[in-house]
Amino acid sequence: MMGIPVISQGQQTIDITSIKVDELSDDQLEELLSRANDLGLSTAEFLQMAQLRGMPEVEVEKLRKRFQELDGSGASRRSSNASRRDPRQQMDLNEITRGLIQPQESLSEEGTNQIFGSNLFYQKNRRLSFEPSLNQATPKNYILGPGDVVYVDIYGQSEQYYEATVNPDGFVLLDNIGPISVSGKTIEEASGIIKNRVAEYYPSLSGSNPSTFLQVTLGNVRTIKVHILGEVRLPGTFTLSAFSTVFNALYAAGGPNENGTMREIKVMRDNEQIASVDLYNLLINGQANLDIQLEDQDVILVSPFISRVKIKGEVKRPLTFEINPEDTFEDLLDYAGGFTDLAFQDRVAISRVTGNQRSVSDVYKNQFGMFILKGGDEITVGKVLDRFSNRVQIKGAVYREGTFALSEGLTLGKLIENADGLRGDAYTEQASILRTKADLSSELIQVNLDQILAGTTQDIVLQREDVIRISSIYDIQNERYVQVLGEVKRPGVYPYSESMTVEDLLISAGGLQESANPNDIEIARRVEDVELGALSTIIPVQVNPNLAPSENSKIILPFDQVIVRKRASFTMQKLVSVEGQVNSPGIFSIESASERISDLVNRAGGLNRFAYAKGATLIRRTEFFNTESEQLRRQRNLESLRLQLLADPTNSEAQEELLQRLFKDLPKGVADSANQWVQTKKESLDQIASETPGFAVKIKETEAVAIDLEEILKNPGSENDLLLEEGDVLSVPKLLQTIRMRGDVVYPTTLRYQSGKSLKYYINRAGGFERRANRKQTYVVYANGAVKRTTGFLGIRKYPMIEPGAEVIVPTKGPKIPLRLGDVVGVTTGLATLALVLSQINWNQP
C-alpha cells in the first residue's frame, strides 16, 4: 500500500506528482491535508501548487473531490485531550513560492553591486533569510484571523485543554461550548471573550477570588497574502506567515531592483498608506522597524529611487547612495562610513550637473554640514600626498639606521648622535649626503666625518629629504677568508682573523683526521709581485699532532690555502669474503698487499669435499662501484656509535659527554672526489653511446672474473693466482650436474650433465637447432664465468668442450629481409648494362 506522501518537512521533499489519488485512504488524505495546513497552505492553494508542479489534471480533479468529501464529515478538527502540543511550524518561504515565482538563484546582480544596500536581500554567495522567528512569545497586539490555531488551557480547580482553528467565518469551535467569534481580535481581546464564554461552564473562573484560570495562546500561525509591487526583482502576490514584517516580504520578492528606492518603501492597507520604511535606518543605524506587522491583502509599493549620488576615493564605502532632498555631504559621509585613514579631509571635489553640462565645486571642511546634495552629484575624496615634510634618513655603519624627524637646526653630527653613534667599522674619512633639489633633481655632497666629529670643520645643517650614507670599511674592501683542504674533519672556507696561525685554522676545521700527516702541510699563498709563470708561494709547515702551538707556528694571511696531506703508510682495513664450499666461509681482512686467492682459500680452511673448483668465480668491483671514502667510512662508524649510545639509557658521564661530541662533530655531508670521478666517467660513456649508433654501454658496479681455481691451488703465486682487492667475493659452488640450454634451440631446457658428451649431443637433446639458428656463433659460458665459442676451418666446426654447470647459448641469425621485385629488376638491369659495356670494349679492341 502506498505510504503517506510528504510535501516538505525539514529538509525532506517528495515529488508531489507521484501521488495516485485512487490508492490513498481517507486517513492518508487527512494526513496529507494536515501537512499542507502546517505549511500554511489552504486546500485551494495546495491543489494549485500540485498542478503547477506537474501533477496530471485528472489526478488534481480526483484530489479536489476527495477533499470535498472529507470536508462534509466536519467543519473543523477538534481535540479535548490534554496532550502535548506540536511546536509552531517555521514557514519555508522558498517552499511557498517554489514553482509559482522565479527563484532568486536565477536573478542577475549586474548593475546593482555598486548601489549601497542592493545586496541586502540577495547575494549569490551568501543568502540572508529574513524569515520570521516563530520561537517568540505571541504579541499582545497580534490580530487573529482564519487559519490561526488557538490553544485554550484551563487549570487550577478544574483542568481542561482545547485546541481549535479559526474557521473562514472567524469562529473557533470548542467542544461542548460552541462557536466563539475571535476573528479581527487581538490575542488579549480574544482571551477575554473566550474566558467570559467558558466561565458559563466553569463558574470558578469568575469572581473576585477565582480558583480556576484560563490562558489563550497561539498555535500554528496562519498565512496571509501580501502584494509586492513596483521596482522589485520579483513583483507579485506572496503567501507569508502572519508574523511577517516588511523585511520578510521584501526578501521573498528579492528586494528592490536597480531602479527601486530604499528610502521610501510604502505599506498600503485598505487603500491608505499606513507606514513608510527607510532601509537606510536598518543599514546605517540598525533600526529595523519591526513593529509594522503585515496583515492579509497588504500592499508593499517600491517606487523608483528619489535621487542618487556617487562617492569615490578615500571613503570606507565608495558606492552609489540614494539621498533625500535635504541630505548634506555630512549625511552622505555618514552613509559612506566616513573617511579612510589616508583621506585628505580638508576639501572634496564635487562634480554637478548644471544645465547641459557639468561643473566642479570645491567643498571645504567647514561647509560639509551645509552643502545640500543633488541627484547626479559625483564626489571625489582625495588622498594625502605620498611625501614627507620633515624626513631625513641615515644608512650604513650606525647603530640605528632609519628615518628621523628633521627638527630645526638639525646637523649631521646631531643626527649621528640620534642614531646612537657610529659603529666600530664605520669609514669616517668620507660620507655622502644625497640632497633633493627644488626641481626634484639630486646632488651628492661628500663630507669628512673625522673632521666634523673632531670639530675642525663646520657641521652641516641638514635639509628635508636628505639621505646620509656612512660606509663600512668592509664595504670598500674584499671580504677576507682562508681555506683548509685535505685530511681535516671539516675542510672548507673560514673567516680570517689577524694573527691566526695554522694550528688555529686546523682547530676551527675540527682537527686532523687520523690519516693526516702533521709533518707534510703546505701553505699556498698568493703572489704579491707577479712574475711571469708564478702562481703562488708554497710554504711547508709542520705542526704538533695535538695541534699545540710551538715556537715555529706560522701566521697565515688572508686568502691562504692550508693543505694537509695523508700519511703514505696509512691505510684502512680492506675486507674480502669467501662463499660456498670452503671449510670456514665468511669475511676476511686482507693481511698484506701481496695476498692472493690461494692465500684466502688457505685462510678459509681449504675446500671441502663438495667443492667444484672449476666452477669457482671471483666477483670484483668495477671502477663504477660506489666506494666509500675514508672520511665517509669514518662518518658511518661514528653514526653507528652514536646510535648505540642513544639506545642505552644507563650511560656514564663520560659516555654522555662522548655522545654530545658526536652530535657536534658529525658532518652533515662530505664530498667524495672518487665518486665524483666515477660520475664523470659515467657521463662520458653516456655521451659516447648517444653519439655512436649501435653502441650501448651497460654500466655494472661488480662483475665476475673467470678464474681457474684448480690451477691456482696447484700453482700458488702463479699468474693465474690474482692479487686480492677490497670487496672481492670468492664464490665456490657445489659440484654441478646440469647443463643449461639457451637461445635458438627447439626446446630450451636444463639437461643432466653426462661425462664425455660433446656439445652436439646436448643440442640434439634440446631438439636440435632452430631454422634461424646461427650455428657458427654458438658459445659456452662455463661455471667460473669463462666463455668459449665455436671455431671453424674449411667448413669444419669445432665446438667447445662441455663441463658441469656450463650454459650453452645459440644465437639467432636475425630477421630475413625478403628481396622485392624492384630490387631484382634493378640488379638484373645493372648486370645487363655491365655485360653490354664489356662486350663493346671487346668489340672495339683490334
Side-chain angles (χ1 to χ4, degrees), residues 29-87:
L29 283 176
E30 287 184 357
E31 180 67 20
L32 182 61
L33 189 58
S34 173
R35 294 190 180 184
N37 291 332
D38 289 343
L39 291 175
L41 296 176
S42 65
T43 303
E45 290 169 338
F46 173 70
L47 293 172
Q48 180 185 8
M49 185 185 70
Q51 187 171 5
L52 288 173
R53 294 192 178 181
M55 189 174 188
E57 188 174 351
V58 176
E59 295 294 327
V60 173
E61 190 60 30
K62 290 181 180 178
L63 195 58
R64 179 181 287 107
K65 291 180 179 179
R66 293 287 300 276
F67 282 158
Q68 290 174 352
E69 293 173 0
L70 288 177
D71 288 340
S73 63
S76 62
R77 280 169 285 149
R78 303 175 286 273
S79 173
S80 59
N81 298 324
S83 60
R84 76 173 190 273
R85 307 171 185 174
D86 293 332

Side-chain angles (χ1 to χ4, degrees), residues 5-21:
V6 177
I7 302 170
S8 176
Q9 192 72 23
Q11 299 295 326
Q12 299 176 352
T13 306
I14 292 181
D15 187 5
I16 201 168
T17 61
S18 63
I19 297 176
K20 299 297 182 183
V21 178

Side-chain angles (χ1 to χ4, degrees), residues 442-491:
S442 61
E443 65 174 330
L444 195 65
I445 303 173
Q446 304 290 343
V447 297
N448 189 313
L449 280 181
D450 279 337
Q451 296 176 1
I452 290 177
L453 296 178
T456 58
T457 298
Q458 184 177 358
D459 205 348
I460 296 178
V461 178
L462 299 178
Q463 298 181 11
R464 173 185 161 274
E465 287 299 297
D466 279 353
V467 179
I468 295 87
R469 174 70 185 183
I470 301 174
S471 300
S472 166
I473 58 176
Y474 300 110
D475 293 338
I476 57 177
Q477 69 179 22
N478 290 328
E479 205 59 57
R480 298 186 296 179
Y481 61 88
V482 290
Q483 187 177 16
V484 59
L485 304 168
E487 302 302 306
V488 292
K489 293 180 180 178
R490 293 190 295 271

Side-chain angles (χ1 to χ4, degrees), residues 284-540:
I284 305 298
N285 305 318
Q287 299 172 1
N289 292 337
L290 296 178
D291 55 337
I292 304 175
Q293 197 77 34
L294 294 178
E295 294 185 9
D296 194 41
Q297 302 303 320
D298 278 355
V299 176
I300 297 175
L301 180 61
V302 180
S303 304
F305 65 87
I306 305 171
S307 296
R308 284 178 180 168
V309 297
K310 184 177 182 180
I311 186 169
K312 57 186 178 180
E314 296 301 316
V315 290
K316 296 176 181 177
R317 298 190 191 110
L319 297 169
T320 299
F321 294 86
E322 185 177 355
I323 57 170
N324 288 322
E326 68 280 3
D327 280 349
T328 65
F329 175 74
E330 195 170 55
D331 297 322
L332 176 63
L333 190 61
D334 187 32
Y335 301 158
F339 291 115
T340 65
D341 295 336
L342 299 180
F344 177 62
Q345 303 181 18
D346 293 340
R347 180 186 60 85
V348 296
I350 298 182
S351 171
R352 171 167 292 179
V353 177
T354 56
N356 60 353
Q357 60 184 352
R358 281 186 172 273
S359 63
V360 177
S361 301
D362 289 334
V363 179
Y364 293 91
K365 191 171 186 178
N366 58 355
Q367 300 172 333
F368 287 172
M370 299 181 292
F371 189 87
I372 303 298
L373 297 173
K374 290 178 58 178
D377 284 353
E378 291 187 3
I379 299 94
T380 302
V381 179
K383 192 176 183 179
V384 296
L385 298 177
D386 191 16
R387 66 192 299 267
F388 296 87
S389 59
N390 62 338
R391 179 180 69 170
V392 292
Q393 300 178 63
I394 187 168
K395 301 178 181 179
V398 293
Y399 283 105
R400 294 191 184 277
E401 297 181 86
T403 301
F404 292 84
L406 177 64
S407 57
E408 185 177 356
L410 181 66
T411 63
L412 176 59
K414 182 61 177 176
L415 178 62
I416 293 174
E417 183 179 336
N418 293 344
D420 287 351
L422 300 173
R423 295 203 312 254
D425 61 333
Y427 181 61
T428 57
E429 294 184 10
Q430 182 177 338
S432 63
I433 301 176
L434 182 65
R435 177 158 293 172
T436 302
K437 297 183 178 180
D439 60 356
L440 299 183
S441 63
S442 61
E443 65 174 330
L444 195 65
I445 303 173
Q446 304 290 343
V447 297
N448 189 313
L449 280 181
D450 279 337
Q451 296 176 1
I452 290 177
L453 296 178
T456 58
T457 298
Q458 184 177 358
D459 205 348
I460 296 178
V461 178
L462 299 178
Q463 298 181 11
R464 173 185 161 274
E465 287 299 297
D466 279 353
V467 179
I468 295 87
R469 174 70 185 183
I470 301 174
S471 300
S472 166
I473 58 176
Y474 300 110
D475 293 338
I476 57 177
Q477 69 179 22
N478 290 328
E479 205 59 57
R480 298 186 296 179
Y481 61 88
V482 290
Q483 187 177 16
V484 59
L485 304 168
E487 302 302 306
V488 292
K489 293 180 180 178
R490 293 190 295 271
V493 177
Y494 292 85
Y496 171 77
S497 300
E498 292 185 7
S499 303
M500 177 183 281
T501 64
V502 173
E503 289 85 354
D504 295 331
L505 178 58
L506 294 178
I507 290 174
S508 298
L512 299 174
Q513 294 275 19
E514 56 182 328
S515 58
N517 186 351
N519 299 318
D520 190 5
I521 299 175
E522 285 182 352
I523 300 176
R525 181 164 294 167
R526 290 183 180 180
V527 178
E528 294 291 340
D529 299 325
V530 179
E531 298 179 1
L532 184 62
L535 299 179
S536 62
T537 301
I538 305 300
I539 304 173

Side-chain angles (χ1 to χ4, degrees), residues 173-312:
L173 186 61
L174 303 184
D175 290 343
N176 301 320
I177 294 178
I180 304 173
S181 177
V182 294
S183 181
K185 308 297 183 183
T186 65
I187 285 289
E188 190 173 10
E189 293 170 344
S191 296
I193 295 171
I194 294 173
K195 181 178 179 181
N196 291 335
R197 182 65 177 275
V198 173
E200 299 176 4
Y201 300 90
Y202 296 91
S204 57
L205 274 170
S206 57
S208 59
N209 190 20
S211 58
T212 302
F213 305 93
L214 180 144
Q215 182 182 23
V216 177
T217 56
L218 186 65
N220 289 348
V221 184
R222 73 181 187 278
T223 60
I224 59 175
K225 298 280 189 182
V226 177
H227 310 287
I228 307 175
L229 307 174
E231 301 297 328
V232 291
R233 286 189 173 96
L234 298 171
T237 300
F238 294 83
T239 302
L240 305 174
S241 164
F243 277 178
S244 297
T245 64
V246 176
F247 297 102
N248 308 133
L250 287 174
Y251 167 73
N257 61 20
E258 184 178 357
N259 293 321
T261 181
M262 293 192 178
R263 306 300 306 272
E264 193 175 352
I265 298 174
K266 301 174 182 177
V267 181
M268 312 291 293
R269 183 174 298 161
D270 297 331
N271 298 323
E272 293 183 1
Q273 180 177 339
I274 64 167
S276 177
V277 177
D278 186 351
L279 292 181
Y280 276 30
N281 282 336
L282 172 64
L283 296 171
I284 305 298
N285 305 318
Q287 299 172 1
N289 292 337
L290 296 178
D291 55 337
I292 304 175
Q293 197 77 34
L294 294 178
E295 294 185 9
D296 194 41
Q297 302 303 320
D298 278 355
V299 176
I300 297 175
L301 180 61
V302 180
S303 304
F305 65 87
I306 305 171
S307 296
R308 284 178 180 168
V309 297
K310 184 177 182 180
I311 186 169
K312 57 186 178 180

